[in-house]
Amino acid sequence: MQDGPSPFSGTAVLLFPAALTGAIVTFRRFLLMAGGLLVLFLGMYSWNQRTHTLDDIAANVGLEMSGTVLDTFDSVKGSVLGAWRRYADLVGVREENERLRAQVAELQARIVSHGEDLAELARLRELVQLPVDSAWKPVGARILAGRMGPNAIQDSITINRGYTSGARPGTPIVTNMGLVGRVLRASPHAATVLLITDPGSRIAVFAQQSRSAGILSGQGLEQPLEVGFVERDAPVTAGEILITSGLDGKYPKGIPVATVDSVAPSDSTQFLAVTARPLVDVRRLEEVLLLEPSGINRPLRPSEPAPDFVGPPRPPKRER
């Protein structure tokens, strides 16, 4: 079998020159375009060298863009810095507020403390105004606790002094208003004081004006005091101050104790039925005075009466 010519060989020969021709045409166009652009560039370059128009336009456009970018950046920077400053200011204000609140709380605590100090100072000034005979030495004490009311075994208070600091059993306890009671039990550094309102309290008293004698006894915290063994013909009147007589040997003479509330004849005895109320509100005590014997006995002149411990002097004797 003989090989004959291929039917596509002529077509291939015809297509190759056509493709070559197209490529040459495209290349020429490219060269023409490049040449035109080169000529245009050289022309514009030459024109710009003479007039500097393009340089000015480029410089203005670049300057405007740079200004816009920088202004935007500066605005953002200012906003961020402003926000940070405001945040820092808020943090500072918050810290200052907390510091001021702490200072206010401290000042309020100081005011309360100073108020308590002033109140205590006023009470202590009143206490030291109590006239004390030289035979007795006053010693201050604070109230630690109290047992008063219907559920208490005794009407009593606890003070911060014991037998090592003057609070021996039997020591009288007073304020500037009058008698509070006496020390019942004592430890080295604390003591229990039996109040005059306790049913176990017995005090020898007499009326400050009429000098009528009697025995004052407690009936409980909420009950009036009773004055027993007052003679039926004694000139005791309501409103008189009862003071210690000193006849029982328990208390110094002349300490104010109570005020007479009522006087009436007794139905069962030959004595008067006398009731009184304490001069000292034992429920509101904070500081008291202990009366220790000083060991000093001031000699009295033969014509000089025994001095009263507290209160005005005895009234003059009535002429018969």
Side-chain angles (χ1 to χ4, degrees):
M1 184 175 180
Q2 296 181 351
D3 293 333
S6 173
F8 299 101
S9 59
T11 305
V13 173
L14 292 175
L15 290 176
F16 180 73
L20 182 60
T21 302
I24 293 173
V25 172
T26 303
F27 182 70
R28 286 178 179 177
R29 290 177 179 174
F30 174 76
L31 290 177
L32 289 175
M33 185 178 296
L37 292 174
L38 180 61
V39 172
L40 179 61
F41 173 76
L42 292 175
M44 293 182 66
Y45 179 77
S46 300
W47 175 66
N48 182 58
Q49 288 294 322
R50 292 192 304 271
T51 61
H52 300 286
T53 302
L54 293 177
D55 290 340
D56 294 338
I57 293 174
N60 292 333
V61 171
L63 182 61
E64 185 68 22
M65 293 180 64
S66 299
T68 303
V69 172
L70 291 176
D71 185 62
T72 303
F73 178 77
D74 188 65
S75 299
V76 173
K77 177 184 175 182
S79 300
V80 172
L81 290 178
W84 175 256
R85 291 193 188 98
R86 287 191 294 271
Y87 173 75
D89 292 341
L90 289 176
V91 172
V93 169
R94 183 179 303 171
E95 293 177 352
E96 185 176 4
N97 286 339
E98 293 177 355
R99 180 174 57 82
L100 291 176
R101 287 194 185 98
Q103 289 181 354
V104 169
E106 181 181 359
L107 291 176
Q108 289 177 343
R110 288 184 180 180
I111 290 173
V112 173
S113 177
H114 290 166
E116 288 295 319
D117 292 341
L118 290 175
E120 182 180 10
L121 178 60
R123 295 192 303 269
L124 294 177
R125 283 179 176 176
E126 292 178 351
L127 280 178
V128 298
Q129 290 176 0
L130 183 72
V132 180
D133 188 83
S134 59
W136 300 90
K137 180 178 68 175
V139 178
R142 293 182 183 274
I143 308 302
L144 299 178
R147 292 181 58 85
M148 293 175 278
N151 295 326
I153 299 176
Q154 293 176 322
D155 287 350
S156 62
I157 56 175
T158 302
I159 59 176
N160 66 340
R161 288 189 178 273
Y163 60 77
T164 59
S165 55
R168 297 177 180 86
T171 303
I173 307 295
V174 299
T175 70
N176 61 301
M177 298 298 296
L179 185 66
V180 173
R182 62 185 176 89
V183 175
L184 182 64
R185 292 182 296 272
S187 66
H189 302 290
T192 300
V193 176
L194 185 70
L195 301 176
I196 62 174
T197 57
D198 186 82
S201 173
R202 299 289 186 274
I203 305 168
V205 297
F206 52 62
Q208 194 174 42
Q209 300 297 325
S210 63
R211 317 306 287 185
S212 301
I215 302 297
L216 182 73
S217 59
Q219 303 298 316
L221 185 64
E222 302 297 334
Q223 303 298 323
L225 304 174
E226 289 187 358
V227 186
F229 307 102
V230 179
E231 296 179 358
R232 183 176 290 270
D233 59 347
V236 181
T237 59
E240 272 197 90
I241 301 297
L242 300 177
I243 60 178
T244 55
S245 65
L247 299 177
D248 53 6
K250 297 179 180 178
Y251 303 97
K253 181 182 178 181
I255 304 176
V257 184
T259 303
V260 176
D261 263 348
S262 64
V263 179
S266 175
D267 297 333
S268 57
T269 66
Q270 70 273 22
F271 300 105
L272 291 176
V274 181
T275 62
R277 64 177 182 275
L279 291 175
V280 179
D281 187 354
V282 295
R283 295 170 297 183
R284 292 178 173 83
L285 292 175
E286 295 186 51
E287 297 90 13
V288 293
L289 289 178
L290 293 82
L291 298 182
E292 289 185 291
S294 64
I296 300 175
N297 294 321
R298 184 171 62 89
L300 299 177
R301 298 175 184 175
S303 59
E304 185 179 359
D308 287 340
F309 177 72
V310 176
R314 295 182 180 183
K317 295 182 179 179
R318 298 178 182 179
E319 297 182 359
R320 296 182 180 179

